[in-house]
Amino acid sequence: MDERRAAASPPLEAALAIEGATLVDPELGVVEDALLLADPARILWVGARSQAPAWRLRPAGERVGARGRFLMPGMVNAHSHAAMTLMRGYADDLSLMPWLETRIFPVEARLRPEDTYWGALLAAVEMLEAGVTAFADMYFFMEETARAVVEAGGRAVLARGMVEPGDGSGERALAEAEALFRDWHGAAGGRIRVMLGPHGVYTTTRAFLGRVAERAAALGARVHIHLSENDDENRRSQATYGKSPAEVCAETGLFQVGCLAAHCVKVSPRDIELLAEHRVGVAHNPVSNLKLASGIAPVVEMRRAGVTVGLGTDGAASTNRLEMFEEMRLASVLQKVRLDDASALPAREAFAMATLESARALGWADEIGSLEAGKACDAVLVDPARSPALWPHFDPFSALVYSAEPAAVEAVWVAGRKVVEDGRVRTVDVERLRHEVTRRAAFLTREEG
Ligand SMILES: [Zn+2]
């Protein structure tokens, strides 16, 4: 009966067909000899080639033979500061507060809009070549980051980082954040979204957080904040308010507007309840948390409580590499050693965190995070032949989480447009990019005589 129905319906027209790969997806699982059809911005149909409906490729449509490859959704980096690539390797081996206050803030004081553009363009290129098709970012001069993302061909949700030391300067930042929302939210065919980004409880005031919550509710914007990154941050919050950062956020209304909270390393059982109750999305950044000696987040406990936990890289100044294979692998192995349980956070769960869970944490799972029909065609082809670390391989989730590296990424599509081919971004002049970032990084970090 199914065959008769297929024969009676008109053939499906596709502009893009990716054929023969092993599909690896957080929702669909593993599908051997898969077929993905796209129009090309959206996925029309995906599944086993043997079960495909009648279809034909549009004239001049693209047909990609992908036998022997893994086809996976583009990874979603749930927390980053893209332009901090300019400070990559500049301030290593320091803990969070001295790192920020003695090294990072002085450099950021010199940052000009065009530096942000080049730094963000580098981040976008680096991420795309590593199979990361979308990221959540918080920084300054975000219209420059938006331009860079659009040019590179990726996708991002951007927040103008706002601090309020108590002198009222936060209001100016908030006005800029609202302008960014009006100008860019939904831009570039929906590839750019905008959130409001109060930097953290320790870098703002309670009154300001309340203001941000109020404006976010009025605009229909979500918020992106750093939360309980380490003990020192919690101590500051307790000293000022007698409450944890999560309690302050819940109290000011910030958790009620749709919140993405980065880190959540030092969260109490009560904090975890608050995160779950308010459906706060968490961005877990294992490499950054390890390098700044912040700690290991209670990922398993948060997930068990029903909290959505995605994965992020944080900025390149603290993580050095903006790629998610290492974040997946570390997210998994850290929970094992923390809980003394080798079965904790298995590969398939770490894979879901880097894709669909991150998309949910961003409030973007309607379009990205998995390769289901109807979603955007943000897809990555991983070729095991490009990386000896993938020889041999058995379970595809295990191969992608524990063995894969960016060098294995062969091709990347965002909204059906091929932006990475043969492992290299094709949308950007990378020689010019290298020259610009090298020159600008030297200027920004020069020592005053
Ligand atoms: Zn951060």
Side-chain angles (χ1 to χ4, degrees), residues 173-339:
L174 184 55
E176 285 178 28
E178 292 195 39
L180 184 77
F181 186 86
R182 282 192 300 272
D183 294 346
W184 285 94
H185 187 64
R191 284 192 289 122
I192 301 289
R193 290 188 179 187
V194 176
M195 290 188 191
L196 300 188
H199 178 273
V201 171
Y202 66 109
T203 43
T204 54
T205 62
R206 184 152 57 178
F208 183 70
L209 293 176
R211 270 282 290 153
V212 173
E214 193 185 291
R215 294 311 303 150
L219 290 167
R222 300 170 72 88
V223 296
H224 184 174
I225 191 168
H226 293 93
L227 196 85
S228 286
E229 182 167 355
N230 66 10
D231 287 323
D232 196 19
E233 179 187 333
N234 283 5
R235 271 196 295 272
R236 290 187 189 199
S237 180
Q238 289 293 349
T240 312
Y241 303 116
K243 292 178 192 317
S244 72
E247 287 168 334
V248 174
C249 285
E251 201 179 86
T252 54
L254 216 62
F255 276 178
Q256 285 82 341
V257 293
C259 185
L260 170 63
H263 302 303
C264 299
V265 174
K266 298 290 182 176
V267 281
S268 69
R270 171 65 190 142
D271 292 336
I272 294 175
E273 275 174 29
L274 285 172
L275 297 171
E277 186 186 319
H278 296 287
R279 305 174 69 84
V280 172
V282 169
H284 173 47
N285 308 276
V287 175
S288 178
N289 295 160
L290 289 176
K291 188 151 173 274
L292 296 173
S294 300
I296 306 174
V299 171
V300 169
E301 290 86 335
M302 288 192 278
R303 286 170 56 85
R304 197 181 292 139
V307 179
T308 295
V309 186
L311 270 183
T313 60
D314 210 352
S318 61
T319 305
N320 303 64
R321 286 163 55 177
L322 302 180
E323 61 105 344
M324 303 271 292
F325 290 111
E326 189 181 23
E327 304 288 347
M328 285 197 283
R329 174 171 138 116
L330 273 179
S332 172
V333 300
L334 283 172
Q335 295 305 307
K336 298 178 193 310
V337 74
R338 188 179 68 84
L339 298 169

Side-chain angles (χ1 to χ4, degrees), residues 75-80 132-137 155-158 185 191 193-195 221-224 257-261 279-284 308-312 324 353-366 368-369:
M75 286 178 275
V76 179
N77 181 352
H79 180 66
S80 62
V132 178
T133 50
F135 62 97
D137 209 62
R155 206 183 274 280
V157 50
L158 308 175
H185 187 64
R191 284 192 289 122
R193 290 188 179 187
V194 176
M195 290 188 191
R222 300 170 72 88
V223 296
H224 184 174
V257 293
C259 185
L260 170 63
R279 305 174 69 84
V280 172
V282 169
H284 173 47
T308 295
V309 186
L311 270 183
M324 303 271 292
M353 286 173 67
T355 51
L356 190 56
E357 298 301 314
S358 277
R360 285 187 181 137
L362 272 52
W364 211 343
D366 55 323
I368 60 175

Side-chain angles (χ1 to χ4, degrees), residues 82-87 107-123 139-141 144-145 147-148 433 436-437 439-446:
M84 290 185 97
T85 50
L86 295 168
M87 286 160 253
V107 172
E108 288 182 339
R110 282 188 196 144
L111 200 78
R112 301 155 302 181
E114 61 272 27
D115 298 321
T116 300
Y117 167 79
W118 287 103
L121 188 63
L122 172 57
Y139 215 55
F140 330 108
F141 309 127
E144 301 293 329
T145 301
R147 279 206 304 131
L433 171 61
E436 287 288 349
V437 295
R439 185 171 76 78
R440 287 165 192 277
F443 168 78
L444 290 166
T445 58
R446 78 194 189 286

